[in-house]
């Protein structure tokens, strides 16, 4: 297969970019791009103009995800705009019922109400929907999947079977937490988990990231503040996650951690409490996680287990005080774990404290969804 | 007593300022300033040029703390500079052994090594030292005091007795946490506490606050970053507290919470674990605190207990998602508590989650020290 000149150029650029983002798949400069091919699935991206929608494209390209065609879908407002992807220009189409005709895999990230309306329509037309919203996550018939954790939950769903299906992408905080907690759980059984989050602006979308930037300018310049996305000052401040509070006093974001953990681990006895806080950081979440374990585990074994875990890397240098930070994982695929230590407040090595950081847009959303799609191939 | 014109003017300014800082003591516009008087103690402030040193002055003035004289002490570098306090100009003096002659109360906030060297000297010369550093906190002979929590620990120390003494101010994170946890502890006995902190720049001093501001400018303008105080980017990022890591994997800041809680509560069985994180916020700390209780406690009773606690105010409006934030407590005396809820992960109402915010410079340092001094009056 001849390589068109423009593809080769892109490829070189990508290779060079990879030098500075080491956790992305690096490839030889001379690999032939195989992603656009006839025997590959037809894709659709719902919500392509959003922060996660754009990251879907980035991740598809980074991972050379094979596709025969790709539909760029968004609201009426964005219809007609152009979207360049792998050197080809696409016209963004308005999301409609018939958008899914002939689509094998539809990646949704346009909010819960769009998923609730169009997810079932896509399934009826034979598409496998990978949904980034919370709309179907707790539906018993919908697998909730982190590929490194519970790929078996979706093993009954087959591409090209003619049957549509829904697969839910967990919430970002859950994915990032469980990437680190699961290997420990498999070894020593987590019976209780106390999580405090430090969540980035990106979880509230591209507009929230812009607002944080704008507000920071305004604070530094002593100007009146723009508060469109959040009702209070975000720059140089932090606040309880803006999700609605439920009758039990937890907010919806916190209850996602409680409920999704049980479903993903298929363990309805695991006890989880969480306090979710938004901090003025752009695109990566941090989480302080305290684990209570059924079987004792010493911290060296914990470090060894985490060192071998897929999709996890350790930054835990006590001498130089080098630990995970949001910036160290921004634009990275893998979740960083550090501050791994025996919890002093629990006897007999039944407790562990860890600090986890993961890119909210990437592993917390787009990458996880595309890894789900890869399981279908 | 006639009020000098300049004092009246200051007083009016202060009164107006108080309008916007409601938790400070508001006073009638016509109250006579009583703070500078002959039968009051002689004060010295060690480290007057620092963030906490400056706040000592602010709090002394806000609370009309009575004093006969006040010495402004700092390093040789600052000696000779001017310091205005309550309309009087003082010359900053270099800290020396003889600085403490005739000083009744010395407020120290110039770092641990200065406290270690000059604290005992001041005590030998008859001063009561209230030390904001960690130098003497765990010394069995030194009371570690939060006035609302354990004033009795210093009841043997008497002003004008001719005998010097040391009293330690707890670490900021401990003070802020225990202001909220103690009323609960008194009612239901806290047996274990899991704390995750969100700590402001101010904890590392005025230069750290300046660096955060400068770095934020630099990030927004795409300029190279200034990293003098912290070794990594602070703007739009967060990182594990920069205190040295101990052999058990905890950093010194975290161990302060573990050990100081035991000493202040005089309860050597209370189990505490903590993860201390610095966030890009200026001057108030936040803490996510999970409590495990010996006796069951429902969240309504918890809210009632906290509502009556001295130095604590509740911001816990679930309907409008209004909870404590660092900005809501900045420049305020009291610690705010919210997100008060029964911990789902503990059975039988034996668990509680709370979110606490307190001004790090004020209640976390200067105010608490001056409240200790007030106990001596």
């Amino acid at each position: 297969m001849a390589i068109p000149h423009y593809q080769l150029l892109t490829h070189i650029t990508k290779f060079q970019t990879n030098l500075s983002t080491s956790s992305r798949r690096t490839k030889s400069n001379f690999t032939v791009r195989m992603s656009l091919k006839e025997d590959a699935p037809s894709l659709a991206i719902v919500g392509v103009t959003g922060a996660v929608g754009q990251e879907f494209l980035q991740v598809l390209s980074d991972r050379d995800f094979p596709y025969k065609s790709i539909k760029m879908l968004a609201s009426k407002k964005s219809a007609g705009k152009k979207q360049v992807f792998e050197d080809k220009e696409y016209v963004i189409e308005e999301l409609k019922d018939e958008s899914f005709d002939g689509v094998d895999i539809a990646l949704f990230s346009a909010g819960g109400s769009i998923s609730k309306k169009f997810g079932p329509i896509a399934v009826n037309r034979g598409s496998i929907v990978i949904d980034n919203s919370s709309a179907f996550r707790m539906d018993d018939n919908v697998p909730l999947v982190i590929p490194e954790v519970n790929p078996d939950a979706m093993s009954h769903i087959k591409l090209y079977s003619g049957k549509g299906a829904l697969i839910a992408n967990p919430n970002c905080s859950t994915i990032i937490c469980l990437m680190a907690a699961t290997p420990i759980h498999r070894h020593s059984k987590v019976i209780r988990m106390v999580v405090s989050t430090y969540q980035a602006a990106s979880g509230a979308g591209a507009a929230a990231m812009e607002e944080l930037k704008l507000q920071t300018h305004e604070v530094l310049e002593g100007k009146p503040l723009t508060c469109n996305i959040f009702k209070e000052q975000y720059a140089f401040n932090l606040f309880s996650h803006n999700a609605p509070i439920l009758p039990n006093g937890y907010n919806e974001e916190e209850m996602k951690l409680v409920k999704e953990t049980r479903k993903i681990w298929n363990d309805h006895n695991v006890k989880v409490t969480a306090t979710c806080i938004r901090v003025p950081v752009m695109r990566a979440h941090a989480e302080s996680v305290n684990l209570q374990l059924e079987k004792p585990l010493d911290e060296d074994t914990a470090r060894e287990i985490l060192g071998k875990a897929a999709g996890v890397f350790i930054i835990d240098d006590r001498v130089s005080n080098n630990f995970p930070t949001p910036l160290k994982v921004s634009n990275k695929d893998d979740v960083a774990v550090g501050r791994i230590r025996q919890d002093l407040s629990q006897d007999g090595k039944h407790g562990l404290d860890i600090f986890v950081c993961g890119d909210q847009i990437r592993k917390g959303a787009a990458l996880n969804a595309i890894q789900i799609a890869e399981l279908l191939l």
Side-chain angles (χ1 to χ4, degrees), chain A:
Chain A
M1 179 182 163
I3 310 166
H5 181 60
Y6 69 83
Q7 282 200 2
L8 194 61
L9 268 180
T10 318
H11 197 88
I12 292 167
T13 313
K14 273 186 54 183
F15 178 71
Q16 288 169 337
T17 307
N18 278 332
L19 291 176
S20 60
T21 56
S22 58
S23 82
R24 291 188 184 180
R25 292 204 307 182
T26 48
K27 290 161 290 183
S28 151
N29 202 353
F30 303 103
T31 310
V32 174
R33 171 168 293 284
M34 294 295 289
S35 45
L36 184 56
K37 54 185 190 176
E38 273 310 305
D39 59 348
S42 304
L43 308 182
I45 297 186
V46 179
V48 72
T49 55
V52 175
Q54 289 292 302
E55 197 74 15
F56 279 147
L57 295 179
Q58 182 67 49
V59 175
L60 287 170
S61 181
D62 285 351
R63 298 175 74 89
D64 284 346
F65 191 93
Y67 61 97
K68 184 166 63 185
S69 63
I70 184 163
K71 272 190 195 176
M72 308 291 183
L73 302 170
S75 67
K76 197 171 180 175
K77 201 182 66 184
S78 299
K81 290 184 184 161
K82 303 287 190 287
Q83 173 67 55
V84 174
F85 176 60
E86 298 199 329
D87 301 297
K88 198 175 153 188
E89 194 176 83
Y90 295 81
V91 178
I92 295 174
E93 300 171 40
E94 184 187 349
L95 175 63
K96 289 182 176 169
D97 294 10
E98 50 274 26
S99 301
F100 300 99
D101 290 342
V103 168
D104 298 308
I105 300 172
L107 298 160
F108 273 64
S109 189
S113 56
I114 295 292
S115 293
K116 273 181 192 149
K117 184 174 173 198
F118 287 96
I121 292 169
V123 171
N124 281 335
R125 291 179 185 236
S127 308
I128 296 174
V129 170
I130 302 168
D131 182 30
N132 193 47
S133 84
S134 62
F136 304 105
R137 284 183 192 146
M138 297 315 298
D139 186 324
D140 283 343
N141 299 314
V142 176
L144 182 66
V145 177
I146 306 174
E148 292 89 344
V149 174
N150 62 336
D152 292 348
M154 56 175 278
S155 58
H156 59 290
I157 298 173
K158 305 288 180 200
L159 194 61
Y160 310 130
S161 68
K163 280 176 66 182
L166 273 164
I167 304 168
N169 212 31
N171 192 41
C172 46
S173 317
T174 313
I175 295 175
I176 292 164
C177 178
L178 296 194
M179 283 299 289
T182 303
I184 304 292
H185 178 58
R186 300 279 185 243
H187 186 277
S188 295
K189 199 169 194 303
V190 172
I191 52 177
R192 182 171 172 246
M193 192 155 70
V194 180
V195 184
S196 294
T197 70
Y198 304 69
Q199 296 186 228
S202 57
M209 297 166 80
E210 276 309 305
E211 183 158 302
L212 173 57
K213 201 173 152 188
L214 173 63
Q215 257 194 18
T216 307
H217 269 294
E218 290 166 345
V219 170
L220 291 174
E221 292 158 20
K223 291 182 183 168
L225 296 188
T226 306
C227 290
N228 294 328
I229 308 294
F230 301 115
K231 68 181 175 58
E232 54 195 319
Q233 183 177 327
Y234 191 12
F236 302 106
N237 197 22
L238 55 84
F239 46 80
S240 181
H241 193 283
N242 49 301
I245 308 284
L246 300 163
N248 66 2
Y250 283 64
N251 64 42
E252 285 181 1
E253 185 78 3
E254 291 158 354
M255 285 310 294
K256 288 173 187 174
L257 260 160
V258 174
K259 291 182 176 175
E260 293 178 15
T261 299
R262 290 182 192 150
K263 180 166 176 177
I264 294 166
W265 282 357
N266 191 26
D267 175 357
H268 293 272
N269 296 317
V270 61
K271 296 186 184 300
V272 179
T273 186
T275 299
C276 289
I277 304 295
R278 252 201 227 286
V279 294
V281 162
M282 281 295 170
R283 60 171 288 156
H285 288 353
E287 303 184 31
S288 164
V289 182
N290 177 268
L291 300 168
Q292 197 168 330
L293 307 167
E294 190 174 270
K295 291 179 214 159
L297 176 68
D298 64 77
E299 66 180 36
D300 290 336
T301 310
R303 200 170 286 108
E304 203 177 298
I305 291 166
L306 289 166
K308 289 179 193 159
V312 172
F313 68 113
I314 293 179
I315 312 179
D316 203 24
D317 183 347
R318 294 178 180 180
V319 176
S320 65
N321 222 319
N322 185 26
F323 300 112
T325 70
L327 281 187
K328 283 176 196 152
V329 297
S330 289
N331 293 299
K332 297 277 170 68
D333 284 353
D334 293 351
V335 164
V337 190
R339 302 299 322 277
I340 303 161
R341 62 204 191 282
Q342 210 79 54
D343 169 7
L344 285 179
S345 74
Q346 293 183 65
D347 298 326
K349 301 193 173 174
H350 283 275
L352 203 71
D353 278 304
I354 56 174
F355 188 64
V356 188
C357 290
D359 186 295
Q360 186 275 329
I361 312 180
R362 200 159 256 263
K363 183 59 188 172
L367 171 65
N368 196 76
I370 284 159
Q371 287 175 305
I372 290 172
E374 285 172 349
L375 289 177
L376 295 169
L377 297 178

